[in-house]
Structure formats: C-alpha cells, structure tokens
Amino acid sequence: KAGVTQTPRYLIKTRGQQVTLSCSPISGHRSVSWYQQTPGQGLQFLFEYFSETQRNKGNFPGRFSGRQFSNSRSEMNVSTLELGDSALYLCASSFFSEAYNEQFFGPGTRLTVL
Amino acid sequence: DAKTTQPPSMDCAEGRAANLPCNHSTISGNEYVYWYRQIHSQGPQYIIHGLKNNETNEMASLIITEDRKSSTLILPHATLRDTAVYYCIVRAVKLSFGAGTTVTVRA
C-alpha cells in the first residue's frame, strides 16, 4: 500500500509570494492533518481536515489555509510568505480523526523563503 | 492535550534494550499515549500507541502505569538504525509534539 505522498519535496520562494503544497493520503484514509516543523518551535499542528471539512485548527495566522477534496487529497496554502515560514511542512493521514487512529506521516515539503 | 516530559537525550548500546520514559501526569481519561520517532529530515514514523493496557508490536512494547501518569517505550534490541528523536504524545484529537528524546545507539 502506498504511503502518504507530498509534493513538491522542496520549494524556494521569496517574501510576499504565496505557495500551495499538496498531500495525497494513504488510500482509504479520510483524515488529513498538516504540521509545521522548525528548529526553534518544533513540530506544530496547523489544521486537520476530515471529509472535506476542517475539524481542528492550530494557532497559526489566517495566511495559512487549507482544503480537502472529495478524494481526500489535501492542499495547504500560505499567502504573503515571511522569512519565518521557512520550515518542513508535514502531512499526516488516518482513517478517522479520533484519538484511537494512528496518523501516518509523509516525507514533508521543505519550504525555504528568501 | 496533556503535556509530556521526556529526557532530552539518552545513549544505548547496540543489541541492548532501550527503555524510554515519559511522564504525562495530567493525562485525561480519553487521551491515548502515542510514540513516534523521527529520523533526521524525514517525516515522523508511528511506533505504537495505547490507552491503558500494555501494547506490543513488531517494533516496540509500550508499558503504561496503572494510574496512566507515565509510560515507557521499550525497543527490545536496539540497532544503529534506531538512532532518532523519539516523541511521546498524549492525544485526544491532534498530535502535540514536544521536544522528544534524542536516542543515539552506539556500536
């Protein structure tokens, strides 16, 4: 069974630009969560989508947004990029969003903002 | 979600068991204990999870105390490939990662 895939794997943008990252969950998984990982803040939860609806949201500004499609694939968008948005963005999928369901992570997209 | 406390680092000899402790004294009744590990620059890898009973799978064993305020992840025969940052997480909905324990397995 194929794992979680994320595209692109690496991205370089400049301040003020916007970026869209994509995540394809494991087949059959309906929940997709996004995380940001930086050396200073560690791994932080961005938001979770289940059946095309946002279920939970972390403490990030409105510049960070996401959506989920009917095939469970998800995208996240960051507008007006700042230097501090440079990070590894991770996507994780699971069957359901309840606590008893383990999440499986993709390899991440490394975003560099210049 | 409850917070967890883990030692920042630990060493382990190859072939020996690695016992990774985690304190989660404020855990709620509906929160599961999860363990993940992250090898440098890769996405976190799921290891094991449990609610109140001890659990074992092909990767590790999870021992949860009766009061659920602490747990121990056991890697039965550590190999060099087990060198990673190990995260203990208690989860009701989202995963909240702390700093984890950096485990270095030495030959």
PDB file of all heavy atoms in Angstrom, chain B residues 1 11 13 18 28 38 48-50 61 74 79 86 107:
ATOM      1  N   ASP B   1      -4.747  19.066  24.911  1.00  0.00           N
ATOM      2  CA  ASP B   1      -3.996  17.827  25.060  1.00  0.00           C
ATOM      3  C   ASP B   1      -3.004  17.949  26.203  1.00  0.00           C
ATOM      4  O   ASP B   1      -2.427  19.003  26.429  1.00  0.00           O
ATOM      5  CB  ASP B   1      -3.236  17.510  23.774  1.00  0.00           C
ATOM      6  CG  ASP B   1      -4.181  17.120  22.649  1.00  0.00           C
ATOM      7  OD1 ASP B   1      -5.341  16.794  22.945  1.00  0.00           O
ATOM      8  OD2 ASP B   1      -3.768  17.156  21.491  1.00  0.00           O
ATOM      9  N   ASP B  11      21.707   7.464  25.527  1.00  0.00           N
ATOM     10  CA  ASP B  11      22.507   6.581  24.700  1.00  0.00           C
ATOM     11  C   ASP B  11      22.107   5.141  24.978  1.00  0.00           C
ATOM     12  O   ASP B  11      21.656   4.812  26.082  1.00  0.00           O
ATOM     13  CB  ASP B  11      24.000   6.753  25.003  1.00  0.00           C
ATOM     14  CG  ASP B  11      24.546   8.043  24.443  1.00  0.00           C
ATOM     15  OD1 ASP B  11      23.785   8.776  23.783  1.00  0.00           O
ATOM     16  OD2 ASP B  11      25.735   8.330  24.660  1.00  0.00           O
ATOM     17  N   ALA B  13      23.427   0.946  23.882  1.00  0.00           N
ATOM     18  CA  ALA B  13      24.358   0.077  23.174  1.00  0.00           C
ATOM     19  C   ALA B  13      23.599  -0.795  22.194  1.00  0.00           C
ATOM     20  O   ALA B  13      22.486  -1.278  22.478  1.00  0.00           O
ATOM     21  CB  ALA B  13      25.124  -0.792  24.166  1.00  0.00           C
ATOM     22  N   ALA B  18      16.421  -0.667  24.806  1.00  0.00           N
ATOM     23  CA  ALA B  18      16.357   0.771  25.104  1.00  0.00           C
ATOM     24  C   ALA B  18      15.026   1.051  25.779  1.00  0.00           C
ATOM     25  O   ALA B  18      13.971   0.698  25.233  1.00  0.00           O
ATOM     26  CB  ALA B  18      16.497   1.591  23.832  1.00  0.00           C
ATOM     27  N   SER B  28      -5.815  12.843  30.450  1.00  0.00           N
ATOM     28  CA  SER B  28      -7.247  12.650  30.693  1.00  0.00           C
ATOM     29  C   SER B  28      -7.655  11.240  30.287  1.00  0.00           C
ATOM     30  O   SER B  28      -6.932  10.545  29.586  1.00  0.00           O
ATOM     31  CB  SER B  28      -8.059  13.661  29.883  1.00  0.00           C
ATOM     32  OG  SER B  28      -7.712  14.972  30.236  1.00  0.00           O
ATOM     33  N   GLN B  38      11.461  10.198  14.754  1.00  0.00           N
ATOM     34  CA  GLN B  38      11.796  10.948  13.559  1.00  0.00           C
ATOM     35  C   GLN B  38      13.294  10.840  13.326  1.00  0.00           C
ATOM     36  O   GLN B  38      14.091  11.279  14.156  1.00  0.00           O
ATOM     37  CB  GLN B  38      11.369  12.408  13.680  1.00  0.00           C
ATOM     38  CG  GLN B  38      11.523  13.197  12.399  1.00  0.00           C
ATOM     39  CD  GLN B  38      10.919  14.586  12.484  1.00  0.00           C
ATOM     40  OE1 GLN B  38      10.816  15.165  13.564  1.00  0.00           O
ATOM     41  NE2 GLN B  38      10.523  15.141  11.351  1.00  0.00           N
ATOM     42  N   ILE B  48       3.866   3.050  18.108  1.00  0.00           N
ATOM     43  CA  ILE B  48       2.898   2.288  18.894  1.00  0.00           C
ATOM     44  C   ILE B  48       2.001   3.257  19.643  1.00  0.00           C
ATOM     45  O   ILE B  48       2.354   4.426  19.821  1.00  0.00           O
ATOM     46  CB  ILE B  48       3.649   1.345  19.873  1.00  0.00           C
ATOM     47  CG1 ILE B  48       2.751   0.218  20.381  1.00  0.00           C
ATOM     48  CG2 ILE B  48       4.264   2.138  21.019  1.00  0.00           C
ATOM     49  CD1 ILE B  48       3.542  -0.897  21.086  1.00  0.00           C
ATOM     50  N   HIS B  49       0.839   2.804  20.076  1.00  0.00           N
ATOM     51  CA  HIS B  49       0.007   3.623  20.928  1.00  0.00           C
ATOM     52  C   HIS B  49      -0.833   2.726  21.840  1.00  0.00           C
ATOM     53  O   HIS B  49      -1.016   1.535  21.554  1.00  0.00           O
ATOM     54  CB  HIS B  49      -0.876   4.589  20.145  1.00  0.00           C
ATOM     55  CG  HIS B  49      -2.058   3.960  19.457  1.00  0.00           C
ATOM     56  ND1 HIS B  49      -1.938   3.205  18.318  1.00  0.00           N
ATOM     57  CD2 HIS B  49      -3.387   4.010  19.738  1.00  0.00           C
ATOM     58  CE1 HIS B  49      -3.147   2.812  17.931  1.00  0.00           C
ATOM     59  NE2 HIS B  49      -4.041   3.283  18.763  1.00  0.00           N
ATOM     60  N   GLY B  50      -1.329   3.314  22.930  1.00  0.00           N
ATOM     61  CA  GLY B  50      -2.156   2.565  23.860  1.00  0.00           C
ATOM     62  C   GLY B  50      -2.993   3.486  24.718  1.00  0.00           C
ATOM     63  O   GLY B  50      -2.718   4.684  24.810  1.00  0.00           O
ATOM     64  N   SER B  61       7.501  -2.263  22.528  1.00  0.00           N
ATOM     65  CA  SER B  61       6.490  -2.503  23.553  1.00  0.00           C
ATOM     66  C   SER B  61       6.218  -1.198  24.283  1.00  0.00           C
ATOM     67  O   SER B  61       7.135  -0.371  24.446  1.00  0.00           O
ATOM     68  CB  SER B  61       6.954  -3.564  24.554  1.00  0.00           C
ATOM     69  OG  SER B  61       7.108  -4.815  23.930  1.00  0.00           O
ATOM     70  N   ILE B  74       9.759   0.517  25.009  1.00  0.00           N
ATOM     71  CA  ILE B  74      10.877  -0.410  25.037  1.00  0.00           C
ATOM     72  C   ILE B  74      11.197  -0.862  23.621  1.00  0.00           C
ATOM     73  O   ILE B  74      10.338  -1.426  22.930  1.00  0.00           O
ATOM     74  CB  ILE B  74      10.567  -1.644  25.910  1.00  0.00           C
ATOM     75  CG1 ILE B  74      10.244  -1.205  27.346  1.00  0.00           C
ATOM     76  CG2 ILE B  74      11.745  -2.616  25.899  1.00  0.00           C
ATOM     77  CD1 ILE B  74       9.745  -2.331  28.224  1.00  0.00           C
ATOM     78  N   THR B  79      19.183  -1.198  17.319  1.00  0.00           N
ATOM     79  CA  THR B  79      20.161  -1.231  16.246  1.00  0.00           C
ATOM     80  C   THR B  79      20.559   0.211  15.910  1.00  0.00           C
ATOM     81  O   THR B  79      19.921   1.170  16.355  1.00  0.00           O
ATOM     82  CB  THR B  79      19.594  -1.895  14.989  1.00  0.00           C
ATOM     83  OG1 THR B  79      18.607  -1.032  14.406  1.00  0.00           O
ATOM     84  CG2 THR B  79      18.968  -3.241  15.309  1.00  0.00           C
ATOM     85  N   TYR B  86      12.728  10.504  19.574  1.00  0.00           N
ATOM     86  CA  TYR B  86      11.524   9.776  19.936  1.00  0.00           C
ATOM     87  C   TYR B  86      10.572  10.709  20.663  1.00  0.00           C
ATOM     88  O   TYR B  86      10.945  11.366  21.634  1.00  0.00           O
ATOM     89  CB  TYR B  86      11.870   8.570  20.804  1.00  0.00           C
ATOM     90  CG  TYR B  86      12.519   7.459  20.020  1.00  0.00           C
ATOM     91  CD1 TYR B  86      13.853   7.542  19.611  1.00  0.00           C
ATOM     92  CD2 TYR B  86      11.794   6.329  19.644  1.00  0.00           C
ATOM     93  CE1 TYR B  86      14.443   6.532  18.859  1.00  0.00           C
ATOM     94  CE2 TYR B  86      12.375   5.313  18.893  1.00  0.00           C
ATOM     95  CZ  TYR B  86      13.694   5.430  18.512  1.00  0.00           C
ATOM     96  OH  TYR B  86      14.276   4.430  17.758  1.00  0.00           O
ATOM     97  N   ALA B 107      27.553   1.517  18.549  1.00  0.00           N
ATOM     98  CA  ALA B 107      28.035   0.159  18.260  1.00  0.00           C
ATOM     99  C   ALA B 107      28.910  -0.361  19.393  1.00  0.00           C
ATOM    100  O   ALA B 107      29.537   0.418  20.121  1.00  0.00           O
ATOM    101  CB  ALA B 107      28.813   0.167  16.957  1.00  0.00           C
TER     102      ALA B 107
END
